[in-house]
Amino acid sequence: MFIAGNYLNFVTEELKDPYKNLPRAIWISIPLVTIIYVLANVAYFAVMTPQEMLASNAVAVTFANRTYGVMAWIMPLCVAFSTFGGVNGAIFTSSRLFFVGARQGHLPGFLATISTKHYTPMPSLIFGCLMTLIMLSSNDIYILINYTSFVESAFIGVSIAGLLYLRYSRPDMERKIKVNIGFPVFFMIICLFLTITTLTSSPRECFVGIIIVITGIPVYLIGVVWESKPKWFRGILDKVTLLTQKACLSVREELKED
């Protein structure tokens, strides 16, 4: 729920009047989703015991089998639609994340190009697809979930901590969108809870997730910190960028100077 609301922050450039519509979308979506989730759990507890819920691999499906009768097939279909919507949001926002990172020089330049036909970061979408396929090579989906949830919760918590630090150290800093300090504090508490819970319940998976993150350090040092790259290295990057632009019919974005 909170992660879905956080996705909106990745696409502010593509929103109309983001300083008005972004807070409005968050204020509408989060209370609505919260109410739906609470009512769904109330319905589950009204039909099933806690032991039955723990024993069920799919609580919603078990609930539907007991209450919907011959129409129980609707629940798996609704779950599929919900999953599709969540994946669609993740794909939509993660590609913009790669795109902006490349535009700032933190990722290879070929990711900072936009399709001339669809006006979308096509290379970033393909890159995200390839990375996803690599992650899906794991034969245990629960381990994969622990990897991603731990790392994601930890980094979101660090980002919120940075926001709180800036609110304390630079209170007069200009902020286009500003909310009550209680909301980021509450959000950070949730991130800490998710991080600590995963760390205590699956320490091995969390350790592997930390190792995966650490492997990005040498890539960052070579790709970003190392500015005096040899000509042959830059030549390879330029060729990859040119090949990607031809294959995806993409070009670099023209940024307006303030």
Side-chain angles (χ1 to χ4, degrees):
M1 173 180 60
F2 293 98
I3 301 302
N6 184 54
Y7 283 159
L8 294 171
N9 298 287
F10 293 92
V11 293
T12 52
E13 289 185 352
E14 301 179 47
L15 289 177
K16 293 182 179 179
D17 196 1
Y19 303 126
K20 178 187 295 183
N21 291 326
L22 178 61
R24 181 182 298 172
I26 293 175
W27 284 116
I28 293 174
S29 61
I30 290 184
L32 183 61
V33 174
T34 301
I35 293 172
I36 293 174
Y37 268 64
V38 170
L39 292 178
N41 281 276
V42 170
Y44 294 155
F45 279 107
V47 175
M48 306 168 60
T49 65
Q51 292 74 19
E52 291 173 333
M53 293 179 64
L54 291 173
S56 175
N57 292 325
V59 177
V61 175
T62 304
F63 171 83
N65 290 332
R66 292 193 177 187
T67 56
Y68 292 174
V70 295
M71 299 298 292
W73 58 270
I74 292 179
M75 186 60 73
L77 187 63
C78 291
V79 172
F81 286 152
S82 177
T83 304
F84 179 80
V87 171
N88 179 69
I91 293 173
F92 183 80
T93 54
S94 61
S95 62
R96 272 66 180 175
L97 182 64
F98 295 140
F99 169 75
V100 173
R103 192 172 63 184
Q104 297 296 325
H106 293 166
L107 289 172
F110 69 89
L111 295 176
T113 57
I114 298 177
S115 169
T116 57
K117 182 177 181 181
H118 302 289
Y119 304 106
T120 56
M122 185 69 70
S124 293
L125 285 166
I126 296 174
F127 177 77
C129 176
L130 294 176
M131 294 298 294
T132 302
L133 292 175
I134 293 174
M135 295 179 67
L136 288 175
S137 61
S138 173
N139 58 0
D140 192 334
I141 188 64
Y142 295 105
I143 292 179
L144 182 61
I145 291 174
N146 287 333
Y147 288 162
T148 56
S149 62
F150 170 74
V151 173
E152 187 174 26
S153 299
F155 274 89
I156 291 177
V158 170
S159 300
I160 299 299
L163 181 149
L164 295 175
Y165 174 76
L166 289 175
R167 288 284 291 268
Y168 172 77
S169 61
R170 303 177 64 180
D172 299 326
M173 180 180 178
E174 181 183 0
R175 294 173 173 87
K176 298 294 185 180
I177 300 175
K178 186 176 180 179
V179 299
N180 186 281
I181 192 68
F183 290 101
V185 170
F186 179 63
F187 194 5
M188 185 175 178
I189 292 174
I190 293 176
C191 292
L192 287 174
F193 172 78
L194 294 174
T195 303
I196 295 174
T197 301
T198 308
L199 185 62
T200 55
S201 62
S202 305
R204 180 177 176 275
E205 288 78 5
C206 293
F207 177 75
V208 175
I210 294 173
I211 296 298
I212 294 174
V213 172
I214 292 176
T215 58
I217 295 178
V219 177
Y220 178 79
L221 294 176
I222 295 174
V224 180
V225 178
W226 184 29
E227 296 182 353
S228 58
K229 300 180 180 66
K231 289 185 178 180
W232 64 267
F233 189 86
R234 295 181 181 274
I236 293 175
L237 294 179
D238 292 339
K239 289 180 180 179
V240 172
T241 300
L242 181 60
L243 179 62
T244 303
Q245 288 182 283
K246 290 181 178 179
C248 300
L249 297 177
S250 60
V251 295
R252 282 186 173 273
E253 179 187 23
E254 294 183 0
L255 297 177
K256 296 181 180 180
E257 297 183 358
D258 296 333

